[in-house]
C-alpha cells in the first residue's frame, strides 16, 4: 500500500472501523514506514489522552443524592397501570411478553390481524398516506375510536408512557363492519409502531401482564382487557414466528 | 403464563442499584451537550425517573446502559434545539440558513464563554465542535456505542454519524496534536 492510501484510512483504523484484512495491511505498512508510524502514534496518543480526560468527568455527589431521593419517592407505574381506563399510554407499559402474545393470538385466531398490522405499517411508511377518514390529531383519533369502536380511551402523548417516548403520528379506520378496527401510528424511541384497536369479547382478561417497554422500544405485544384489544407492533421487532408470514 | 410479582420497594431498590453505576456516563454526555450543569442534572434525573417507571426486575433490559442512553439522547434532543436542528430533527427552510449559521456561531460563542475553565485547551477544543459532532464523538469515543445505535438515536444515517465522528476527531487532533497532556495539570506544550 502507498502512504497516501494508508493515511486516508488511519482514522478508520483508530476507530476500529476497518475489516481485519485491511487493518492488517495497514499495520504491515506502518511497521515499515516511519512517517506513517509517527502519524498513527500521534493520533492514538491524542485520542487516548482525550478519552482519558473526558471519561474522568463525574456527576457531583450532591446531584446524585438529589436524583436518588427523587427515585425513592417518585411513583412507579405498577404492572397493572392505575389509569387504565383513561390512558392508552398505560397500556403500553403493561404489555405481554411475546410468548404470551403468540399464545393469545393463536388461541383467538387473530394472527392475520397482527400480520395485517405489520403489512399496513410498511405500506404506510412507503406512502405516508393514511387514506380516507384518517385522524391527524390526538383529539381526532380519540373521536375515531369512540365513533368506530365505542371505546373511550386516551391516546398517549409524549411523556405519558413509562420509559418510552411515544409520539403520535396519525390514525385511520381499518377492518370492515363485521370486524371494525382502528390503527394508530406512533414513533416509539425512534421506531415506527402500529397500535391496532379492536373490540373482542371472546377474551375477557389477561393475567400475564409484564412490562417490557423501554429496552428497545415496544416489541410486538398485545393487551387484552375487558373487550378492548390492542396490538402493538414495532416494525423491526416482528417475531421470527410471524415474520415468515409476510 | 404467570408473572412474578415483586414488591414496589424491591423493584425500586433493584433499579437504583443497577442504574447508579451509569450516572457518570449519562451526566458526562448531558453535560457536553447541554453545557449547563443544572440542565444536565435535570435531564439525567428525568431520564432515571422515566426509566424507573418502565423497569421490570422480572424482565430487566439486556443492556441497561444502552436503554438509559436511548432515553437520555431523546431528552437531550428535546432540550438542545441546536443539536436537534443539526440532527435534522428540526427542519429549516434554506433561506434561513444564514440566520441559522449566525445563531449557531452565537451559540458556540456562548458555550465557550460559559465554560468553567476557559484556560483548558481540551475543553475549549471540545466546545468548538458543532453540537452534533460533539454528541456523536462523545457517544462513540467516550461511551463506545456502535455507530448504528448512535445514528438511530440521533435520527441520522450511519454514514453521516461516521463522518461527524471523523471530523470531530480530526479537529481535536488538529487543535491538540502538538500538545501533550500533563496529568492533573491541564496540558503542556509537547
Amino acid at each position: 500500500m502507498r502512504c497516501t492510501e494508508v493515511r486516508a484510512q488511519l482514522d478508520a483504523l483508530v476507530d476500529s472501523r476497518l475489516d481485519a484484512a485491511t487493518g492488517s495491511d495497514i499495520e504491515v505498512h506502518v511497521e515499515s514506514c516511519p512517517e506513517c508510524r509517527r502519524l498513527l502514534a500521534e493520533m492514538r496518543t491524542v485520542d487516548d489522552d482525550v478519552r482519558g480526560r473526558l471519561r474522568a468527568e463525574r456527576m457531583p455527589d450532591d446531584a446524585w443524592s438529589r436524583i436518588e431521593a427523587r427515585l425513592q419517592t417518585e411513583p412507579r407505574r405498577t404492572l397493572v397501570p392505575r389509569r387504565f381506563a383513561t390512558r392508552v399510554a398505560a397500556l403500553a407499559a403493561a404489555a405481554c411478553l411475546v410468548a404470551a402474545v403468540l399464545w393469545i393470538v393463536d388461541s383467538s385466531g387473530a394472527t392475520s390481524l397482527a400480520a395485517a398490522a405489520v403489512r399496513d405499517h410498511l405500506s404506510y411508511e412507503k406512502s405516508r398516506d393514511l387514506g380516507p377518514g384518517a385522524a391527524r390529531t390526538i383529539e381526532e383519533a380519540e373521536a375515531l375510536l369512540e365513533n368506530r369502536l365505542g371505546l373511550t380511551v386516551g391516546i398517549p402523548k409524549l411523556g405519558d408512557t413509562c420509559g418510552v417516548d411515544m409520539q403520535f403520528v396519525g390514525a385511520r379506520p381499518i377492518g370492515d363492519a363485521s370486524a371494525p378496527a382502528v390503527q394508530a401510528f406512533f414513533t416509539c424511541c425512534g421506531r415506527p409502531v402500529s397500535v391496532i384497536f379492536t373490540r373482542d369479547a371472546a377474551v375477557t382478561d389477561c393475567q400475564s401482564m409484564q412490562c417490557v417497554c423501554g429496552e428497545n422500544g415496544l416489541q410486538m405485544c398485545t393487551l387484552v382487557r375487558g373487550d378492548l384489544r390492542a396490538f402493538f407492533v414495532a416494525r423491526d421487532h416482528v417475531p421470527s414466528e410471524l415474520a415468515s408470514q409476510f | 403464563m404467570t408473572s412474578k410479582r415483586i414488591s414496589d420497594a424491591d423493584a425500586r431498590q433493584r433499579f437504583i442499584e443497577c442504574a447508579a453505576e451509569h450516572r457518570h456516563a449519562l451526566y458526562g454526555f448531558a453535560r457536553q451537550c447541554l453545557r449547563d450543569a443544572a440542565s444536565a442534572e435535570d435531564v439525567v434525573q428525568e431520564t432515571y425517573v422515566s426509566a424507573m417507571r418502565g423497569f421490570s426486575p422480572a424482565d430487566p433490559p439486556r443492556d441497561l446502559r444502552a436503554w438509559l442512553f436511548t432515553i437520555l439522547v431523546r431528552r437531550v434532543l428535546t432540550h438542545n434545539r441546536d443539536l436537534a436542528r443539526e440532527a435534522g430533527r428540526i427542519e429549516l427552510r434554506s433561506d434561513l440558513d444564514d440566520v441559522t449559521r449566525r445563531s449557531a456561531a452565537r451559540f458556540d460563542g456562548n458555550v465557550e464563554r460559559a465554560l468553567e475553565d476557559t484556560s483548558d485547551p481540551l475543553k475549549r477544543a471540545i466546545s468548538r465542535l458543532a453540537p452534533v459532532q460533539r454528541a456523536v464523538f462523545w457517544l462513540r469515543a467516550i461511551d463506545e456505542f456502535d455507530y448504528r445505535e448512535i445514528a438511530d438515536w440521533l435520527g441520522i444515517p450511519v454514514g453521516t454519524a461516521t463522518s461527524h465522528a471523523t471530523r470531530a476527531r480530526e479537529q481535536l487532533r488538529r487543535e491538540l496534536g502538538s500538545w501533550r497532556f500533563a496529568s492533573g495539570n491541564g496540558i503542556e506544550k509537547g
Side-chain angles (χ1 to χ4, degrees):
Chain A
M1 291 179 93
R2 293 177 175 184
C3 287
T4 48
E5 291 174 77
V6 168
R7 287 174 197 178
Q9 299 198 73
L10 284 181
D11 180 71
L13 178 72
V14 171
D15 194 29
S16 311
R17 277 187 280 120
L18 292 181
D19 59 74
T22 312
S24 172
D25 288 348
I26 290 177
E27 296 280 8
V28 167
H29 172 92
V30 164
E31 280 300 308
S32 60
C33 174
E35 187 53 20
C36 287
R37 191 163 62 242
R38 188 192 65 75
L39 275 174
L40 179 62
E42 179 163 327
M43 286 166 87
R44 282 183 165 148
T45 302
V46 173
D47 286 11
D48 288 348
D49 286 343
V50 168
R51 255 197 302 272
R53 285 202 57 206
L54 295 181
R55 275 191 186 137
E57 177 113 36
R58 288 286 178 266
M59 172 183 273
D61 289 344
D62 58 336
W64 176 246
S65 299
R66 283 190 289 274
I67 292 173
E68 197 174 5
R70 183 166 170 204
L71 292 176
Q72 294 287 2
T73 56
E74 185 73 18
R76 280 187 84 247
R77 302 271 172 100
T78 53
L79 292 176
V80 180
R82 285 175 294 137
R83 293 187 298 157
F84 182 88
T86 55
R87 276 285 158 212
V88 175
L91 300 185
C96 296
L97 290 173
V98 169
V101 172
L102 294 176
W103 182 84
I104 290 170
V105 168
D106 288 343
S107 69
S108 62
T111 307
S112 58
L113 183 57
V118 176
R119 232 178 5 244
D120 286 356
H121 202 126
L122 295 175
S123 147
Y124 162 70
E125 283 215 308
K126 277 186 187 167
S127 66
R128 295 276 154 183
D129 179 13
L130 289 171
R136 289 290 181 184
T137 66
I138 286 177
E139 290 71 25
E140 287 173 2
E142 289 172 349
L144 181 62
L145 283 166
E146 188 155 11
N147 294 337
R148 191 166 175 80
L149 304 175
L151 297 171
T152 306
V153 292
I155 296 288
K157 296 178 179 64
L158 187 64
D160 279 352
T161 46
C162 65
V164 176
D165 287 320
M166 282 186 81
Q167 282 183 294
F168 175 76
V169 176
R172 64 177 171 188
I174 59 171
D176 54 26
S178 62
V182 170
Q183 180 173 27
F185 295 99
F186 295 85
T187 57
C188 172
C189 294
R191 293 184 171 83
V193 171
S194 275
V195 181
I196 308 293
F197 298 97
T198 65
R199 294 186 68 99
D200 185 344
V203 183
T204 55
D205 205 345
C206 173
Q207 299 298 324
S208 62
M209 294 176 189
Q210 289 196 27
C211 187
V212 295
C213 62
E215 183 182 358
N216 291 308
L218 287 174
Q219 298 185 3
M220 178 180 169
C221 55
T222 185
L223 182 86
V224 181
R225 174 91 171 187
D227 57 0
L228 169 65
R229 163 172 289 177
F231 290 94
F232 299 79
V233 185
R235 186 198 59 187
D236 17 353
H237 294 298
V238 178
S240 55
E241 295 90 328
L242 280 178
S244 61
Q245 300 178 28
F246 309 130
Chain B
M1 291 196 303
T2 56
S3 60
K4 189 181 175 187
R5 303 266 170 180
I6 296 173
S7 78
D8 181 70
D10 286 347
R12 188 186 300 275
Q13 201 49 46
R14 194 87 61 85
F15 172 78
I16 293 174
E17 284 168 13
C18 295
E21 67 176 286
H22 304 298
R23 65 186 186 277
H24 299 306
L26 295 169
Y27 181 76
F29 175 71
R31 188 81 177 78
Q32 282 306 311
C33 292
L34 298 172
R35 290 305 184 160
D36 168 79
S39 301
E41 183 185 329
D42 284 350
V43 166
V44 172
Q45 183 169 129
E46 291 309 317
T47 297
Y48 271 118
V49 168
S50 190
M52 186 181 70
R53 288 174 174 163
F55 183 76
S56 166
D59 181 31
R62 277 191 302 275
D63 186 345
L64 179 61
R65 191 177 75 107
W67 180 43
L68 289 168
F69 266 92
T70 302
I71 301 170
L72 176 70
V73 171
R74 291 187 66 84
R75 290 191 178 276
V76 163
L77 281 171
T78 305
H79 272 71
N80 190 333
R81 196 175 166 78
D82 296 85
L83 176 55
R85 187 194 62 234
E86 287 190 6
R89 292 299 178 96
I90 301 175
E91 291 179 9
L92 289 171
R93 296 205 317 271
S94 57
D95 58 346
L96 291 179
D97 280 356
D98 283 346
V99 177
T100 305
R101 269 197 293 276
R102 284 199 295 275
S103 159
R106 248 193 331 270
F107 170 79
D108 282 347
N110 290 340
V111 162
E112 195 165 346
R113 276 191 296 278
L115 287 174
E116 290 163 7
D117 181 8
T118 49
S119 66
D120 183 335
L122 174 59
K123 286 188 178 179
R124 223 172 28 235
I126 291 280
S127 75
R128 288 197 189 112
L129 297 176
V132 71
Q133 284 181 3
R134 194 156 54 223
V136 174
F137 169 78
W138 194 276
L139 291 168
R140 174 65 180 174
I142 309 303
D143 294 306
E144 298 183 339
F145 284 111
D146 188 83
Y147 276 115
R148 228 171 29 178
E149 274 179 309
I150 298 169
D152 191 28
W153 291 337
L154 292 171
I156 56 178
V158 173
T160 306
T162 313
S163 305
H164 282 315
T166 299
R167 279 200 290 274
R169 276 193 302 274
E170 283 171 358
Q171 189 171 328
L172 289 177
R173 287 176 196 139
R174 212 167 33 244
E175 295 198 25
L176 303 170
S178 59
W179 301 75
R180 294 286 179 269
F181 296 101
S183 58
N185 296 313
I187 56 181
E188 296 171 351
K189 187 85 175 172

